[in-house]
Amino acid sequence: MKVVKFGGSSVADANQLKKVTEIIRADRERKAIVVSAPGKRHAKDTKTTDLLITLGESVQAHVQNEAIYDQVIERFGSIIRELELDHSILEKIKNKIDEASDLVKTDVNRGMDALKSCGEDGTALILSAYLQSRELESYYVNPKEAGIFVSDQPGGALVLDESFEHLYKLREREGVLVIPGFFGYTLDDELVTFSRGGSDITGSIVAAGMKVDLYENFTDVDSVFCVNPMIVENPQQLKTLTYREMRELSYAGFSVFHDEALIPAFKEKIPVCIKNTNNPSGDGTMIVADLPEREGHVAGIASDSGFLNLYVSKYLMNREVGFGRKLLQILEEEEISFEHAPSGIDDMSVIIRDHQLPAEKEEVVKDRIQNELHVDMITIERDMAMIMIVGEGMNEAIGVASKATTAFRDADVNIDMINQGSSEVSMMFGIKSDDLNEAVRSLYKAFF
C-alpha cells in the first residue's frame, strides 16, 4: 500500500491532472492521494495559494480585490471545464472561498488559514471527481474526516499524536482516497494550516498513520540533485539519501521537500521516493533510514541566503554562568527564533533568519543585550548566506573540512563562520550573500 503526494506543479492545470490520473491508474497500491493547490503553469504565473493570500489581505484591508477573486475562480473553472466535470464542483469551491473571506473580516488568523486551505481543498474535489469520471472508485476525504488533528497554531500547526490512530482506519476504506494537503483541524474543530509547503507534511503524516510500504512524492524533477541546478549546470542526481541527509538538505535550501515533512515518515521508517510527474517511469530518489552505499562521504551541497549574524563579545564570557541562556532568553522574549549559535571563549554568534529581526527591532535587541548583559561589543551583520555540506559518515572521513576550505580559497571567498553540525551529518559555512554562487560551484568541483 502506498501514499502518494502530488505537488503544485503536478496539479497546475487540467493536462497535469490527467497525468496524475494515469499515474494513479497504473498502480493499484496507490491508495491515498494527497494534493497541493494548483502551482505555476509557467515561469511568470502565480501560485493559487499566493493569489488566495493576496485576496485575504485585500479583504482584511476592507477592499476585496475583485480581479484577484475572479482570477482564483477562473483558475479552478478552467480546470473543471477542460476536464469536462460538473459545474457544481466550482460552486462548492466558490462557496468555501466566500465563507473564508467572510471569516477574515471577523477573525483574521482563522479566516486567512481557511482561505489558504481552499487551494488544496479545490484540487482534491476536482481530482476525486475526475477519477470517478474515469471509472475509478474514488472519494474526497476532508482532513477532519481523515483524522488529521493539529495544534491550534494558525499558519504553523503541528500534528497531534491521536491523529495516527484515526489515520490507520483509512486502510479499511474502499477505493482511492483523495485528501487535501496543508491543513488539519484542532480538537475544537477549528481549521488550521501547516507552514507553507505543508502538503508535504500532510503526505508524510498520512503515510505514517496508515503505515504504508512506500510514500511517493511527485514533483517536477526526476530526482534530487546533489546541488542547486540553478547554480551548477547538469549536476549529479542522487539515487539514495538517508532521512537525516534529506532533512539537513531541505532545511538548508533544497526546495524539493519541506524541511519538516520527513519527520513522521522517519519515525515509522517508511521509505520515501521522490519522482517526476512528467516522467513517472524514472527511478527517482529513494530516502531511507540506513546509510546507502555510495562513492565519497558527501551526499549534497545546500545553500540559502537571507541570514544575519548577531555577534556578541565579552571578556571572560566563558566564566559567566548562564550567559548563553540569558542571551537566548532575550531573543525568546522578543519572539525571535535563531538557527545556529557557534561560540568561542569570549564571543558568541547567533545566526538568525533576516526576517526574524527586522531593522526596526534591531536597536531594541541591541539595547537589551547591552544593558542586561553588559557586553564589550555587539554587532549585527546582514546579507549573509549559509552553505551546508551534507553526508552520512563525514565525521569518519579525513580531509572533508580541508577540501571544503580549499574550495572556498580557490573561489576567493572569505569564510565568516564554520559550524560542525552536532548530528555529524553536516558542516555549515557562513559567507557573504554575493559570494554564494561562486562558492557553491567551487565546492561542487571539489566534491563531485
Side-chain angles (χ1 to χ4, degrees):
M1 186 179 290
K2 300 176 184 178
V3 166
V4 188
K5 183 258 176 181
F6 290 97
S9 61
S10 301
V11 296
D13 56 28
N15 187 52
Q16 289 297 95
L17 283 169
K18 290 176 181 177
K19 294 179 185 178
V20 166
T21 299
E22 292 309 309
I23 290 169
I24 296 168
R25 290 174 65 95
D27 189 344
R28 295 175 63 87
E29 293 296 307
R30 289 171 174 145
K31 175 70 176 177
I33 312 299
V34 176
V35 292
S36 296
K40 290 186 177 184
R41 295 161 292 189
H42 49 79
K44 295 183 179 180
D45 201 9
T46 304
K47 296 178 179 180
T48 306
T49 302
D50 290 331
L51 293 174
L52 290 166
I53 291 171
T54 303
L55 176 62
E57 290 170 346
S58 71
V59 173
Q60 184 182 352
H62 308 294
V63 186
Q64 178 167 305
N65 189 322
E66 295 298 334
I68 294 292
Y69 177 84
D70 292 342
Q71 197 174 339
V72 172
I73 300 303
E74 174 54 25
R75 186 75 187 271
F76 287 113
S78 63
I79 295 173
I80 289 167
R81 288 193 301 273
E82 289 179 45
L83 295 178
E84 299 179 346
L85 298 175
D86 194 283
H87 183 75
S88 63
I89 299 170
L90 183 60
E91 286 302 310
K92 288 181 183 178
I93 297 170
K94 184 175 179 295
N95 289 338
K96 290 192 176 187
I97 292 172
D98 291 342
E99 290 171 6
S101 296
D102 288 340
L103 184 56
V104 171
K105 299 172 186 176
T106 57
D107 189 331
V108 172
N109 290 333
R110 299 284 185 211
M112 286 298 290
D113 269 21
L115 196 53
K116 287 187 290 183
S117 75
C118 291
E120 282 75 10
D121 202 64
T123 303
L125 287 167
I126 292 170
L127 178 59
S128 59
Y130 185 63
L131 291 173
Q132 290 168 15
S133 74
R134 295 297 307 276
E135 299 182 346
L136 275 173
E137 185 180 4
S138 173
Y139 302 94
Y140 162 85
V141 181
N142 185 273
K144 179 164 58 176
E145 179 188 353
I148 301 175
F149 297 110
V150 298
S151 60
D152 194 358
Q153 298 168 263
L158 299 174
V159 66
L160 301 181
D161 288 341
E162 46 262 59
S163 300
F164 298 102
E165 182 179 345
H166 290 281
L167 286 163
Y168 189 76
K169 296 174 184 176
L170 294 178
R171 295 175 64 100
E172 302 168 6
R173 302 247 329 231
E174 297 294 325
V176 176
L177 311 178
V178 183
I179 305 170
F182 190 36
F183 67 100
Y185 286 82
T186 69
L187 296 177
D188 293 327
D189 204 27
E190 297 283 359
L191 186 156
V192 189
T193 65
F194 298 112
S195 54
R196 281 298 296 267
S199 292
D200 283 335
I201 299 175
T202 302
S204 186
I205 289 168
V206 174
M210 293 181 68
K211 299 186 185 300
V212 294
D213 302 306
L214 180 66
Y215 168 36
E216 295 180 311
N217 192 298
F218 279 84
T219 179
D220 56 1
V221 294
D222 282 337
S223 66
V224 176
F225 295 103
C226 66
V227 70
N228 187 344
M230 301 294 289
I231 299 176
V232 175
E233 188 175 355
N234 297 320
Q236 287 186 23
Q237 297 182 7
L238 295 171
K239 296 301 181 185
T240 315
L241 287 166
T242 66
Y243 292 117
R244 293 204 305 172
E245 288 173 336
M246 192 67 220
R247 163 82 169 132
E248 297 273 0
L249 291 168
S250 297
Y251 160 75
F254 265 47
S255 59
V256 173
F257 247 118
H258 189 292
D259 65 306
E260 298 173 18
L262 285 174
I263 296 172
F266 165 73
K267 288 180 178 178
E268 292 295 328
K269 290 189 167 24
I270 295 169
V272 179
C273 187
I274 298 172
K275 296 176 74 72
N276 190 347
T277 303
N278 303 310
N279 181 27
S281 61
D283 293 334
T285 298
M286 287 294 298
I287 304 171
V288 296
D290 299 321
L291 176 65
E293 290 186 11
R294 67 160 71 97
E295 292 184 13
H297 295 277
V298 174
I301 302 166
S303 55
D304 203 4
S305 56
F307 294 89
L308 63 85
N309 179 19
L310 171 64
Y311 172 80
V312 174
S313 177
K314 185 178 183 180
Y315 183 58
L316 297 180
M317 179 193 294
N318 63 315
R319 296 190 186 179
E320 186 173 332
V321 176
F323 183 89
R325 175 187 58 79
K326 293 173 186 175
L327 175 60
L328 298 179
Q329 185 174 342
I330 291 173
L331 297 180
E332 179 184 352
E333 290 171 359
E334 295 296 334
E335 299 183 332
I336 298 168
S337 64
F338 73 98
E339 305 293 321
H340 312 279
S343 62
I345 296 174
D346 294 325
D347 50 20
M348 183 173 180
S349 290
V350 184
I351 307 301
I352 302 169
R353 292 275 181 182
D354 201 74
H355 67 84
Q356 287 284 334
L357 182 55
E360 59 269 21
K361 206 171 187 177
E362 189 173 302
E363 288 306 314
V364 174
V365 172
K366 289 172 71 173
D367 286 345
R368 285 199 61 184
I369 293 172
Q370 185 66 62
N371 295 331
E372 296 174 32
L373 301 181
H374 310 292
V375 299
D376 299 326
M377 180 189 298
I378 175 172
T379 61
I380 293 178
E381 183 181 9
R382 294 185 181 269
D383 298 320
M384 287 193 67
M386 294 292 146
I387 298 177
M388 186 180 285
I389 299 172
V390 176
E392 295 272 8
M394 280 200 329
N395 61 313
E396 299 172 358
I398 297 172
V400 174
S402 173
K403 186 180 288 189
T405 53
T406 299
F408 281 105
R409 183 201 65 192
D410 292 344
D412 197 24
V413 173
N414 187 53
I415 301 170
D416 292 331
M417 185 206 76
I418 300 177
N419 190 26
Q420 173 76 50
S422 58
S423 67
E424 300 182 336
V425 178
S426 64
M427 186 178 297
M428 180 171 285
F429 301 87
I431 62 172
K432 297 290 187 297
S433 293
D434 290 344
D435 295 328
L436 180 63
N437 288 359
E438 282 302 316
V440 169
R441 292 189 190 104
S442 186
L443 286 165
Y444 177 80
K445 182 179 179 181
F447 286 103
F448 295 97

